[in-house]
Amino acid sequence: MELSSRLKLIKPSATMVVNEKATALKLKGVDLIDFGAGEPDFDTPESIKNAAEAAMRAGQTKYTPVGGTDALKTAIIAKLKRDNGLDYAKNEVLASCGGKHSLFVAFQALFGNGDEVIVPAPFWVSYPDMLLLAGAKARIVSTKEENEFKLTPGDLEAAFTPSTRAIILNSPSNPAGVAYDEGELSALLDVIAKRDCLIISDDVYEKMVYGDFKLGQVLRLRPDLRGRTLICNSVSKTYAMTGWRIGYSAGPAALIKAMTTLQGQMTSNPSSVAQAGAAQALGGPQDSVPLMMGEFAKRRDFVVDRLRKIPGVRCPKPQGAFYVFPNIDAHLNPSKGLKTGDDLAGYLIEEAHVAVVGGTDFGYPGHIRISYATSMHNLERGLDRIEQALRKLGNA
Ligand code: GLU
């Protein structure tokens, strides 16, 4: 089968590959502990399910406007005001089929051949490939583990080239949970503000920060950058709604209009029923979020503590999201077929029946990503298994 040359540019999503492998093993009856999936283990709150059900019963089962129902747009606008202190109008927001789709549509609308987009590493696996599909290229900027994977203004400054069109900021980040406070983000925005450069602010983990950490927000700090900032967000993580596939974007009207045109030729509207659920999620009671975060905080502490006790494993404590990204370099051994964290992930799933994602497609082959969005019971069992499997290798 001769496929489009575009397909030669990309590879399967590493997170989705692990999800599929884990699901297949579970279906076979394997007692698999799944630290692969980047999704909260909590159920979607009842009030959201009820809103979706009511919408379905009321006949909201037809096409909606491409960019989302009036009710969802209203809820998105109210959320941006309530949580972010931002004023957006209906022609400046767009609902899509998940955060991934929001970003995909944005990249297609904005970028083309020869464009470069700055992507701080470690990065979410899909940014580089989604940029390639738009004809653009990720300019990966490495960060240092000893600096908790934080981008410095100097590193950022050095990354600009005449082809730079944009930077993707993802704070807190997938996979390392890196979160920038106001001072750190301000320093980066000072560098960006001096350049002719767009900002894609991927805010899907914005609600997932720990303790009294004060997360920097691009447009709160620099309202003057509003004309060249696109916010992408989703209800997936915050409200445990990954399967509903609702993401949204807020940005300049001309860009939102272009993205809506593209979406109209691609998917049309996101699911009408899911939109009703998302409107309730954004506009309804917010009490499920701190409850979930309270659990995640306990799990984060437990996982970091356990990993740090395993010889040859280093693990910074993430400030946000629900992943850790430990360095497992000391456990690699090319003579045993373990060259990268991906090989180690393969070993762990086969030998220990624990699914994790290898670090290569996040930009750091000597690492693995562990999602701790699973029960404490599973975390205890999974970390026991990882520890035993690593000790068995005898490399560190
Ligand atoms: N945040 C999820 C993960 O990284 C997204 C899954 C994906 O679409 O890659 O596991």
Side-chain angles (χ1 to χ4, degrees):
M1 174 66 67
E2 187 63 25
L3 299 174
S4 140
S5 56
R6 278 191 301 281
L7 264 297
K8 298 199 177 81
L9 300 173
I10 60 162
K11 55 197 174 314
S13 152
T15 53
M16 293 291 109
V17 168
V18 171
N19 271 357
E20 272 159 40
K21 219 167 162 180
T23 306
L25 285 171
K26 283 185 228 167
L27 277 175
K28 272 204 216 157
V30 172
D31 171 27
L32 186 100
I33 311 259
D34 193 355
F35 295 162
E39 60 179 348
D41 55 319
F42 298 93
D43 197 7
T44 303
E46 266 322 282
S47 65
I48 297 173
K49 289 186 188 172
N50 290 341
E53 188 185 346
M56 194 162 39
R57 303 257 173 246
Q60 291 176 32
T61 53
K62 312 284 189 214
Y63 293 130
T64 75
V66 169
T69 58
D70 199 64
L72 179 53
K73 286 193 170 198
T74 303
I76 293 168
I77 289 166
K79 179 266 172 226
L80 290 164
K81 182 76 184 167
R82 178 190 69 214
D83 295 350
N84 312 101
L86 301 174
D87 290 299
Y88 278 91
K90 287 193 182 137
N91 64 349
E92 296 175 308
V93 298
L94 161 77
S96 302
C97 309
K100 199 178 218 169
H101 187 223
S102 299
L103 290 162
F104 191 93
V105 174
F107 294 177
Q108 293 288 327
L110 285 168
F111 307 130
N113 289 344
D115 289 341
E116 282 184 6
V117 175
I118 295 176
V119 177
F123 46 81
W124 179 46
V125 295
S126 290
Y127 295 143
D129 286 33
M130 282 168 37
L131 288 169
L132 287 171
L133 285 172
K137 226 176 75 196
R139 185 167 175 84
I140 309 291
V141 186
S142 297
T143 58
K144 294 196 179 62
E145 187 186 328
E146 53 274 25
N147 195 22
E148 293 173 338
F149 297 114
K150 281 188 178 154
L151 184 66
T152 66
D155 292 339
L156 175 58
E157 186 91 57
F160 281 91
T161 73
S163 305
T164 304
R165 288 280 323 281
I167 174 167
I168 300 177
L169 293 173
N170 175 217
S171 164
S173 78
N174 179 0
V178 177
Y180 294 92
D181 65 23
E182 293 188 333
E184 291 162 339
L185 185 63
S186 271
L188 297 177
L189 293 174
D190 286 347
V191 175
I192 296 166
K194 283 188 283 172
R195 309 282 184 152
D196 180 16
C197 169
L198 299 162
I199 300 169
I200 314 276
S201 187
D202 179 350
D203 291 352
V204 294
Y205 298 100
E206 88 181 316
K207 292 285 172 197
M208 310 205 146
V209 291
Y210 296 104
D212 51 10
F213 183 82
K214 194 147 185 333
L215 186 72
Q217 296 179 23
V218 174
L219 292 181
R220 259 204 214 266
L221 293 167
R222 292 296 298 252
D224 57 314
L225 299 180
R226 190 186 192 279
R228 49 181 169 120
T229 297
L230 181 74
I231 294 170
C232 291
N233 206 329
S234 126
V235 294
S236 291
K237 318 288 178 184
T238 312
Y239 306 101
M241 292 176 73
T242 46
W244 296 65
R245 310 312 302 135
I246 297 289
Y248 56 95
S249 311
L255 173 56
I256 295 296
K257 185 170 175 215
M259 288 169 65
T260 308
T261 302
L262 260 167
Q263 191 165 297
Q265 296 289 19
M266 190 187 284
T267 55
S268 304
N269 59 276
S271 150
S272 59
V273 175
Q275 286 189 65
Q280 171 67 23
L282 294 171
Q286 300 294 304
D287 46 332
S288 65
V289 184
L291 286 177
M292 186 163 75
M293 285 312 292
E295 287 305 311
F296 283 159
K298 287 185 230 157
R299 297 173 186 182
R300 175 193 66 153
D301 292 348
F302 172 76
V303 171
V304 170
D305 193 53
R306 279 295 308 264
L307 286 168
R308 284 180 175 172
K309 286 188 179 138
I310 303 176
V313 175
R314 289 200 307 268
C315 186
K317 194 171 210 169
Q319 199 55 66
F322 43 66
Y323 308 106
V324 285
F325 195 56
N327 181 320
I328 44 73
D329 213 26
H331 289 278
L332 300 180
N333 185 344
S335 69
K336 287 188 187 160
L338 297 175
K339 291 198 212 65
T340 65
D342 304 59
D343 299 328
L344 192 77
Y347 166 75
L348 289 175
I349 200 165
E350 296 301 331
E351 295 294 320
H353 294 156
V354 180
V356 303
V357 188
T360 304
D361 288 357
F362 297 103
Y364 284 76
H367 292 246
I368 55 173
R369 188 191 79 174
I370 293 175
S371 160
Y372 52 86
T374 187
S375 70
M376 200 55 120
H377 178 61
N378 277 343
L379 289 171
E380 280 165 10
R381 293 197 308 143
L383 280 151
D384 285 345
R385 291 186 192 184
I386 291 177
E387 179 163 3
Q388 274 163 20
L390 293 181
R391 285 188 189 275
K392 198 163 138 200
L393 282 175
N395 292 331

